[in-house]
Amino acid sequence: MHMSKLHICHIVRDNIGGAPRIADLIVSAQVRAGYKVSVIALANISQRLKLFESTDEVVYLKSTSHIISAIKLGEKIKKLKPNIIISHCTYATRVTYLYQLIGGKFKIPYIGYVQNNIEAEIESCYSKGFKMLFRKIQLNFSIAAFQNAKALVFV
């Protein structure tokens, strides 16, 4: 019986900083292990660094609002057809969760990487005014996104 290769899709925010570099190391190891690996970078900048060179497919999506990013992400995920998604950082995990809420029956298991300071995110919710309300909503959505992940990795 012929088994197809497991297809892993990594979702990162931006293509600079620590999270994409950690993802690049993981992607390289998975490619060496024989997996099919793709990367979707939710990028706020147009500069593309030399990351993820070991994989055949890197897709850059301009990151805008959560909803627009989730819709664009869903379109790319449907084309890539991965077996599992690894979302690096809270923002990428929220967008992954949101695309699954919007996409309805199109659900792929995902792993959420927590690579930022959750305590700082919680403390930022205690500022005053409208910003506080938005941060509390965002924090609750982050919690829901992590609760719905099949696994969590704390880095």
Side-chain angles (χ1 to χ4, degrees):
M1 181 167 110
H2 180 302
M3 296 284 291
S4 63
K5 257 192 223 185
L6 179 66
H7 180 181
I8 304 165
C9 180
H10 291 262
I11 301 173
V12 297
R13 182 174 189 188
D14 294 323
N15 50 354
I16 58 173
R21 294 182 198 288
I22 291 170
D24 185 44
L25 295 171
I26 296 167
V27 165
S28 295
Q30 290 172 337
V31 168
R32 281 192 309 273
Y35 297 108
K36 179 179 179 183
V37 182
S38 57
V39 175
I40 298 175
L42 304 170
N44 286 324
I45 60 175
S46 60
Q47 178 186 9
R48 296 175 183 180
L49 300 178
K50 293 191 174 195
L51 293 176
F52 312 115
E53 292 180 340
S54 62
T55 185
D56 294 329
E57 181 121 28
V58 180
V59 177
Y60 289 89
L61 296 178
K62 183 171 171 57
S63 181
T64 55
S65 72
H66 280 78
I67 293 173
I68 300 298
S69 293
I71 291 168
K72 290 179 181 178
L73 178 66
E75 292 169 358
K76 295 299 179 187
I77 292 290
K78 286 177 185 175
K79 288 179 186 172
L80 292 172
K81 299 178 182 165
N83 301 102
I84 191 161
I85 296 169
I86 300 176
S87 295
H88 296 266
C89 85
T90 304
Y91 178 82
T93 304
R94 278 195 307 262
V95 172
T96 301
Y97 175 62
L98 183 57
Y99 110 79
Q100 293 202 11
L101 287 176
I102 292 170
K105 65 180 181 183
F106 187 71
K107 296 190 188 302
I108 296 170
Y110 65 93
I111 297 170
Y113 265 60
V114 182
Q115 295 175 325
N116 59 350
N117 185 345
I118 292 296
E119 290 177 11
E121 189 172 348
I122 292 169
E123 286 175 13
S124 72
C125 292
Y126 296 105
S127 59
K128 295 182 179 177
F130 181 73
K131 185 177 180 181
M132 175 190 70
L133 176 62
F134 177 74
R135 292 294 294 158
K136 283 185 178 180
I137 292 168
Q138 190 174 11
L139 177 64
N140 286 329
F141 200 76
S142 296
I143 292 168
F146 285 124
Q147 286 175 333
N148 283 280
K150 295 297 179 192
L152 296 175
V153 177
F154 294 88
V155 180

